[in-house]
Amino acid sequence: ARKAREDDAARKAREEVEQRNREEAARQAKAEAERAVREALARKEREEVERQKREEADKEIVLEVRHVGLGGHSVTLQARRGWSMLEVRRATARAVGRPEVLEFGRLVRCGADGSYKSLRDVDRLTCLLPDEGVVLMNARLDEILERSQVQDEDYHEAEARRVQPGSGGASPASAKTAKAAKGKSEGDAERPDTVEVTIRSIHTSAAQSLQVKVAATIGDVKEALANALGRPEVLNVKLLRRNNDSAGYTSLLDDEVCGSTRQFFIMNVDLEPAPGAPLAKSPEDRQVVVRKELPELFPMGAILSTARSTLLREGEGLDSERVLDLEPGQLCAVRGHGAGKRLNVELLPELGQWGWLTAATKSGEVLVVHASEQQLLALRRQQHPPETVMVTVAPATGGGAWVELFVLDSLTFAGLKESLAASLGRPAVLQRGRFVQRKGAASFAGIRDEEFLGDRRDFLYMGTDLTSQR
């Protein structure tokens, strides 16, 4: 009887364990089914959200890109909500025919309170708030008249030359472009190893032509010119490129690749070869610069300055009525070319006064020269009120975060230091900070406080930390 009772108790215990296992298995199966239902619903919701995002990104919108200046220039684009800012810049550049929008332009968001914040190339239009607009800085937005002369390769090259924010002015594509240009494929075997570039003086219109490597940088061109002229001072100045609107020049960094540019400008350097230099010529050969055709020396739209007192006449002929006596330093824009060395010009800065003048005397004396960078800067200030631009300040020694500032383009570097000190909350910037420019792989040259920003927008800095104390 005792054995029967023990067996019965053991059986009941087993049955209870089995019952609990069945109940636990049922609970787990129910929980698994509920989890599967929740995951299915969540997946469906995610798919619906992704579908809505795709539809939103593909939705066509009308986007207005405004220029920060007071001129009121803007461009209206047929865009998509999913466009990145890089796509917006590409469309904007082609809409107005200005590759410099891709090279120098910065898109920023403008809040309802008038504040600015930069937009990265990877940012999309969907990140903008309803009350925010897209504003273009650091490049012009008015449509150029000669759009047919702008080719697709001009846009591609401008985008490749673009300086990334915080780089201090160095283009990341320069080294890659140089390396790619040096490597030649079998299909490129017939391409020439060298090209001819021309360096022209802004002040005297004298010019020298050189043969340089296809992959040459600006520094290579300067070194070749210094050796050919026998003038080492060439290494201490900058080469310039004429802007597309012919209203000024942009300085070039030594590590930039020449690319498709074949004409450069220089100032404050005598292009006459030193005695015994490789380019030293006979007196007869030296007159060839003066005898060059006027359209090549002074193209349409070029800004000139009178080298000495001269006459502005009503007609092309030297016997036409005298309009005005021009003083040295009078600025004018080339509007046409006449016979001989006659130029049709419009006086600046106030437009409306036209006439004819002689570019050079019979003896070869030059009467007009290309306006200097300082004259062009002063003219730009007269014709265009100061406008807000975006500048970046990065540590010269590398590492650390860079700073973006929105300042007037009429500032000096002393004013830029004040803005930087106020933005960071670091008064020490005014005492110990200084802006520099790279001269070599590991050397820098200081920038004077009294210098104006000009066309420069990305700067290197040393002396204090760039982290904010606000």
Side-chain angles (χ1 to χ4, degrees):
R2 186 171 60 252
K3 181 69 169 69
R5 287 194 298 270
E6 291 174 352
D7 292 342
D8 187 55
R11 180 179 54 77
K12 288 182 178 180
R14 288 195 299 271
E15 290 176 352
E16 290 177 358
V17 170
E18 291 174 356
Q19 180 63 26
R20 287 196 298 269
N21 289 339
R22 285 194 296 271
E23 292 174 354
E24 180 63 25
R27 283 195 297 269
Q28 291 180 356
K30 183 179 180 181
E32 186 67 28
E34 292 175 349
R35 184 165 57 252
V37 171
R38 289 195 300 270
E39 290 179 352
L41 291 175
R43 183 171 59 255
K44 187 175 181 180
E45 291 177 359
R46 288 195 301 270
E47 292 174 352
E48 179 64 19
V49 170
E50 291 297 327
R51 184 187 65 79
Q52 293 177 356
K53 286 183 178 179
R54 287 194 298 271
E55 290 180 354
E56 183 69 14
D58 291 337
K59 185 183 298 184
E60 291 190 355
I61 61 171
V62 177
L63 175 67
E64 181 186 30
V65 179
R66 297 184 294 107
H67 191 264
V68 71
L70 300 177
H73 297 294
S74 64
V75 60
T76 302
L77 306 174
Q78 292 293 329
R80 296 184 183 276
R81 289 282 298 169
W83 271 15
S84 67
M85 293 304 147
L86 176 58
E87 292 173 302
V88 173
R89 279 197 301 107
R90 286 171 176 168
T92 302
R94 283 169 169 77
V96 297
R98 290 192 176 276
E100 58 264 34
V101 171
L102 286 168
E103 184 173 356
F104 305 112
R106 305 289 187 198
L107 292 178
V108 301
R109 60 204 306 175
C110 180
D113 59 351
S115 61
Y116 298 113
K117 185 177 180 181
S118 64
L119 290 165
R120 302 172 301 168
D121 283 350
V122 295
D123 290 335
R124 301 194 175 273
L125 290 174
T126 51
C127 75
L128 297 176
L129 299 177
D131 60 346
E132 289 183 323
V134 178
V135 173
L136 178 72
M137 293 183 176
N138 300 9
R140 295 178 59 176
L141 197 55
D142 51 316
E143 185 173 351
I144 66 172
L145 300 178
E146 302 174 350
R147 291 185 56 185
S148 59
Q149 298 183 7
V150 183
Q151 306 297 323
D152 280 344
E153 64 180 14
D154 295 325
Y155 295 106
H156 296 315
E157 291 174 0
E159 187 171 336
R161 291 192 302 266
R162 180 172 177 80
V163 175
Q164 295 302 318
S167 64
S171 172
S174 298
K176 296 179 180 178
T177 306
K179 185 176 180 180
K182 289 179 181 177
K184 297 177 64 178
S185 63
E186 294 181 0
D188 296 335
E190 298 181 358
R191 294 185 180 179
D193 292 331
T194 62
V195 294
E196 182 179 280
V197 297
T198 302
I199 298 91
R200 190 177 302 281
S201 171
I202 290 180
H203 298 302
T204 66
S205 297
Q208 295 290 355
S209 296
L210 301 170
Q211 291 288 331
V212 297
K213 295 288 187 181
V214 173
T217 63
I218 299 300
D220 296 332
V221 174
K222 287 169 55 177
E223 184 176 352
L225 181 62
N227 294 334
L229 295 178
R231 296 188 181 278
E233 60 268 24
V234 171
L235 300 175
N236 299 324
V237 299
K238 285 186 175 295
L239 291 186
L240 310 173
R241 180 179 64 241
R242 189 191 296 277
N243 295 337
N244 288 342
D245 54 11
S246 298
Y249 301 87
T250 298
S251 59
L252 302 170
L253 298 175
D254 286 353
D255 61 352
E256 289 189 53
V257 177
C258 296
S260 61
T261 305
R262 296 293 179 262
Q263 180 169 255
F264 302 96
F265 294 86
I266 198 169
M267 55 194 301
N268 302 327
V269 168
D270 186 3
L271 288 184
E272 186 71 16
L279 284 182
K281 302 176 181 178
S282 64
E284 293 77 12
D285 292 336
R286 292 174 187 172
Q287 297 298 323
V288 69
V289 174
V290 180
R291 294 176 185 151
K292 285 189 175 180
E293 296 296 329
L294 281 188
E296 182 181 355
L297 285 174
F298 306 121
M300 292 286 289
I303 308 299
L304 308 182
S305 173
T306 53
R308 66 168 178 82
S309 300
T310 187
L311 294 179
L312 184 72
R313 296 187 179 275
E314 182 177 323
E316 182 179 350
L318 295 177
D319 56 349
S320 62
E321 184 178 350
R322 183 171 63 183
V323 176
L324 197 64
D325 292 329
L326 302 181
E327 297 296 327
Q330 171 66 53
L331 297 181
C332 57
V334 177
R335 301 305 186 203
H337 302 91
K341 292 181 172 55
R342 299 290 286 169
L343 289 174
N344 183 224
V345 299
E346 183 177 13
L347 299 186
L348 301 173
E350 296 182 3
L351 302 178
Q353 181 70 66
W354 294 64
W356 291 82
L357 54 76
T358 303
T361 64
K362 292 182 179 179
S363 62
E365 181 186 2
V366 176
L367 300 181
V368 291
V369 297
H370 286 278
S372 66
E373 191 172 2
Q374 290 79 5
Q375 288 176 311
L376 293 173
L377 182 60
L379 176 64
R380 192 177 295 118
R381 291 200 192 99
Q382 288 179 287
Q383 294 183 329
H384 306 286
E387 66 181 39
T388 302
V389 295
M390 173 185 163
V391 302
T392 64
V393 181
T397 54
W402 53 272
V403 180
E404 68 179 36
L405 299 172
F406 297 96
V407 299
L408 293 178
D409 59 359
S410 58
L411 274 187
T412 62
F413 280 91
L416 183 60
K417 279 205 294 188
E418 293 177 2
S419 298
L420 181 62
S423 175
L424 298 179
R426 287 182 174 272
V429 169
L430 299 175
Q431 288 78 36
R432 302 201 303 269
R434 61 192 182 106
F435 292 98
V436 297
Q437 55 189 354
R438 194 180 300 278
K439 291 197 67 175
S443 59
F444 301 92
I447 300 176
R448 298 189 304 272
D449 285 350
E450 61 269 20
E451 285 189 46
F452 288 94
L453 301 186
D455 293 327
R456 295 170 288 189
R457 298 293 178 261
D458 299 275
F459 308 103
L460 296 175
Y461 172 86
M462 58 174 54
T464 66
D465 196 351
L466 286 178
T467 55
S468 176
Q469 289 187 334
R470 291 193 174 278

PDB file of all heavy atoms in Angstrom, residues 281-295:
ATOM      1  N   LYS A 281      66.783  88.492 -74.792  1.00  0.00           N
ATOM      2  CA  LYS A 281      66.590  88.659 -76.230  1.00  0.00           C
ATOM      3  C   LYS A 281      67.340  89.891 -76.725  1.00  0.00           C
ATOM      4  O   LYS A 281      67.756  90.751 -75.947  1.00  0.00           O
ATOM      5  CB  LYS A 281      65.103  88.814 -76.554  1.00  0.00           C
ATOM      6  CG  LYS A 281      64.247  87.645 -76.098  1.00  0.00           C
ATOM      7  CD  LYS A 281      62.800  87.928 -76.381  1.00  0.00           C
ATOM      8  CE  LYS A 281      61.903  86.790 -75.916  1.00  0.00           C
ATOM      9  NZ  LYS A 281      60.483  87.078 -76.158  1.00  0.00           N
ATOM     10  N   SER A 282      67.437  89.978 -78.015  1.00  0.00           N
ATOM     11  CA  SER A 282      68.013  91.170 -78.622  1.00  0.00           C
ATOM     12  C   SER A 282      67.016  92.314 -78.542  1.00  0.00           C
ATOM     13  O   SER A 282      65.819  92.087 -78.399  1.00  0.00           O
ATOM     14  CB  SER A 282      68.358  90.891 -80.091  1.00  0.00           C
ATOM     15  OG  SER A 282      67.165  90.629 -80.826  1.00  0.00           O
ATOM     16  N   PRO A 283      67.463  93.587 -78.630  1.00  0.00           N
ATOM     17  CA  PRO A 283      66.530  94.720 -78.570  1.00  0.00           C
ATOM     18  C   PRO A 283      65.429  94.630 -79.613  1.00  0.00           C
ATOM     19  O   PRO A 283      64.301  95.053 -79.374  1.00  0.00           O
ATOM     20  CB  PRO A 283      67.441  95.926 -78.795  1.00  0.00           C
ATOM     21  CG  PRO A 283      68.807  95.468 -78.355  1.00  0.00           C
ATOM     22  CD  PRO A 283      68.871  94.013 -78.694  1.00  0.00           C
ATOM     23  N   GLU A 284      65.734  94.060 -80.806  1.00  0.00           N
ATOM     24  CA  GLU A 284      64.696  93.966 -81.834  1.00  0.00           C
ATOM     25  C   GLU A 284      63.592  93.014 -81.414  1.00  0.00           C
ATOM     26  O   GLU A 284      62.408  93.264 -81.633  1.00  0.00           O
ATOM     27  CB  GLU A 284      65.317  93.491 -83.161  1.00  0.00           C
ATOM     28  CG  GLU A 284      66.268  94.491 -83.803  1.00  0.00           C
ATOM     29  CD  GLU A 284      67.626  94.515 -83.113  1.00  0.00           C
ATOM     30  OE1 GLU A 284      67.887  93.588 -82.296  1.00  0.00           O
ATOM     31  OE2 GLU A 284      68.411  95.439 -83.366  1.00  0.00           O
ATOM     32  N   ASP A 285      63.966  91.895 -80.784  1.00  0.00           N
ATOM     33  CA  ASP A 285      62.973  90.910 -80.380  1.00  0.00           C
ATOM     34  C   ASP A 285      62.111  91.429 -79.230  1.00  0.00           C
ATOM     35  O   ASP A 285      60.972  91.005 -79.061  1.00  0.00           O
ATOM     36  CB  ASP A 285      63.655  89.607 -79.945  1.00  0.00           C
ATOM     37  CG  ASP A 285      64.312  88.914 -81.123  1.00  0.00           C
ATOM     38  OD1 ASP A 285      63.869  89.162 -82.255  1.00  0.00           O
ATOM     39  OD2 ASP A 285      65.272  88.149 -80.894  1.00  0.00           O
ATOM     40  N   ARG A 286      62.634  92.336 -78.422  1.00  0.00           N
ATOM     41  CA  ARG A 286      61.888  92.791 -77.250  1.00  0.00           C
ATOM     42  C   ARG A 286      60.689  93.648 -77.621  1.00  0.00           C
ATOM     43  O   ARG A 286      59.817  93.882 -76.797  1.00  0.00           O
ATOM     44  CB  ARG A 286      62.818  93.584 -76.332  1.00  0.00           C
ATOM     45  CG  ARG A 286      63.898  92.715 -75.691  1.00  0.00           C
ATOM     46  CD  ARG A 286      64.885  93.538 -74.903  1.00  0.00           C
ATOM     47  NE  ARG A 286      65.990  92.699 -74.459  1.00  0.00           N
ATOM     48  CZ  ARG A 286      67.087  93.167 -73.884  1.00  0.00           C
ATOM     49  NH1 ARG A 286      67.239  94.462 -73.691  1.00  0.00           N
ATOM     50  NH2 ARG A 286      68.036  92.332 -73.519  1.00  0.00           N
ATOM     51  N   GLN A 287      60.640  94.156 -78.862  1.00  0.00           N
ATOM     52  CA  GLN A 287      59.521  94.993 -79.268  1.00  0.00           C
ATOM     53  C   GLN A 287      58.307  94.173 -79.689  1.00  0.00           C
ATOM     54  O   GLN A 287      57.258  94.724 -79.939  1.00  0.00           O
ATOM     55  CB  GLN A 287      59.940  95.891 -80.436  1.00  0.00           C
ATOM     56  CG  GLN A 287      61.047  96.874 -80.092  1.00  0.00           C
ATOM     57  CD  GLN A 287      60.629  97.847 -79.018  1.00  0.00           C
ATOM     58  OE1 GLN A 287      59.489  98.282 -78.986  1.00  0.00           O
ATOM     59  NE2 GLN A 287      61.537  98.179 -78.116  1.00  0.00           N
ATOM     60  N   VAL A 288      58.456  92.841 -79.741  1.00  0.00           N
ATOM     61  CA  VAL A 288      57.354  92.009 -80.226  1.00  0.00           C
ATOM     62  C   VAL A 288      56.133  92.111 -79.339  1.00  0.00           C
ATOM     63  O   VAL A 288      54.999  92.003 -79.799  1.00  0.00           O
ATOM     64  CB  VAL A 288      57.804  90.538 -80.365  1.00  0.00           C
ATOM     65  CG1 VAL A 288      58.045  89.915 -78.999  1.00  0.00           C
ATOM     66  CG2 VAL A 288      56.766  89.733 -81.127  1.00  0.00           C
ATOM     67  N   VAL A 289      56.316  92.333 -78.030  1.00  0.00           N
ATOM     68  CA  VAL A 289      55.179  92.441 -77.123  1.00  0.00           C
ATOM     69  C   VAL A 289      54.338  93.647 -77.468  1.00  0.00           C
ATOM     70  O   VAL A 289      53.115  93.610 -77.466  1.00  0.00           O
ATOM     71  CB  VAL A 289      55.667  92.511 -75.659  1.00  0.00           C
ATOM     72  CG1 VAL A 289      54.501  92.765 -74.720  1.00  0.00           C
ATOM     73  CG2 VAL A 289      56.367  91.218 -75.289  1.00  0.00           C
ATOM     74  N   VAL A 290      55.008  94.758 -77.784  1.00  0.00           N
ATOM     75  CA  VAL A 290      54.282  95.984 -78.107  1.00  0.00           C
ATOM     76  C   VAL A 290      53.520  95.828 -79.416  1.00  0.00           C
ATOM     77  O   VAL A 290      52.485  96.445 -79.616  1.00  0.00           O
ATOM     78  CB  VAL A 290      55.265  97.169 -78.177  1.00  0.00           C
ATOM     79  CG1 VAL A 290      54.552  98.458 -78.521  1.00  0.00           C
ATOM     80  CG2 VAL A 290      56.012  97.302 -76.861  1.00  0.00           C
ATOM     81  N   ARG A 291      54.028  94.972 -80.314  1.00  0.00           N
ATOM     82  CA  ARG A 291      53.415  94.853 -81.628  1.00  0.00           C
ATOM     83  C   ARG A 291      52.283  93.828 -81.660  1.00  0.00           C
ATOM     84  O   ARG A 291      51.693  93.599 -82.695  1.00  0.00           O
ATOM     85  CB  ARG A 291      54.482  94.435 -82.648  1.00  0.00           C
ATOM     86  CG  ARG A 291      55.557  95.494 -82.857  1.00  0.00           C
ATOM     87  CD  ARG A 291      56.620  94.992 -83.788  1.00  0.00           C
ATOM     88  NE  ARG A 291      57.724  95.940 -83.902  1.00  0.00           N
ATOM     89  CZ  ARG A 291      58.961  95.605 -84.162  1.00  0.00           C
ATOM     90  NH1 ARG A 291      59.269  94.330 -84.332  1.00  0.00           N
ATOM     91  NH2 ARG A 291      59.898  96.517 -84.251  1.00  0.00           N
ATOM     92  N   LYS A 292      51.992  93.171 -80.557  1.00  0.00           N
ATOM     93  CA  LYS A 292      50.921  92.172 -80.556  1.00  0.00           C
ATOM     94  C   LYS A 292      49.569  92.845 -80.798  1.00  0.00           C
ATOM     95  O   LYS A 292      49.374  94.024 -80.529  1.00  0.00           O
ATOM     96  CB  LYS A 292      50.896  91.410 -79.231  1.00  0.00           C
ATOM     97  CG  LYS A 292      52.026  90.402 -79.113  1.00  0.00           C
ATOM     98  CD  LYS A 292      51.837  89.527 -77.899  1.00  0.00           C
ATOM     99  CE  LYS A 292      52.897  88.440 -77.839  1.00  0.00           C
ATOM    100  NZ  LYS A 292      52.746  87.574 -76.675  1.00  0.00           N
ATOM    101  N   GLU A 293      48.627  92.081 -81.300  1.00  0.00           N
ATOM    102  CA  GLU A 293      47.311  92.607 -81.599  1.00  0.00           C
ATOM    103  C   GLU A 293      46.614  93.069 -80.314  1.00  0.00           C
ATOM    104  O   GLU A 293      46.729  92.445 -79.260  1.00  0.00           O
ATOM    105  CB  GLU A 293      46.463  91.543 -82.296  1.00  0.00           C
ATOM    106  CG  GLU A 293      46.996  91.122 -83.662  1.00  0.00           C
ATOM    107  CD  GLU A 293      46.972  92.265 -84.651  1.00  0.00           C
ATOM    108  OE1 GLU A 293      46.078  93.128 -84.532  1.00  0.00           O
ATOM    109  OE2 GLU A 293      47.840  92.303 -85.537  1.00  0.00           O
ATOM    110  N   LEU A 294      45.851  94.163 -80.422  1.00  0.00           N
ATOM    111  CA  LEU A 294      45.179  94.716 -79.248  1.00  0.00           C
ATOM    112  C   LEU A 294      44.186  93.753 -78.596  1.00  0.00           C
ATOM    113  O   LEU A 294      44.118  93.677 -77.376  1.00  0.00           O
ATOM    114  CB  LEU A 294      44.454  96.012 -79.630  1.00  0.00           C
ATOM    115  CG  LEU A 294      45.322  97.265 -79.743  1.00  0.00           C
ATOM    116  CD1 LEU A 294      44.432  98.476 -79.933  1.00  0.00           C
ATOM    117  CD2 LEU A 294      46.183  97.445 -78.524  1.00  0.00           C
ATOM    118  N   PRO A 295      43.380  93.008 -79.378  1.00  0.00           N
ATOM    119  CA  PRO A 295      42.444  92.086 -78.714  1.00  0.00           C
ATOM    120  C   PRO A 295      43.138  91.084 -77.811  1.00  0.00           C
ATOM    121  O   PRO A 295      42.546  90.607 -76.840  1.00  0.00           O
ATOM    122  CB  PRO A 295      41.744  91.390 -79.887  1.00  0.00           C
ATOM    123  CG  PRO A 295      41.834  92.370 -81.013  1.00  0.00           C
ATOM    124  CD  PRO A 295      43.174  93.032 -80.834  1.00  0.00           C
TER     125      PRO A 295
END
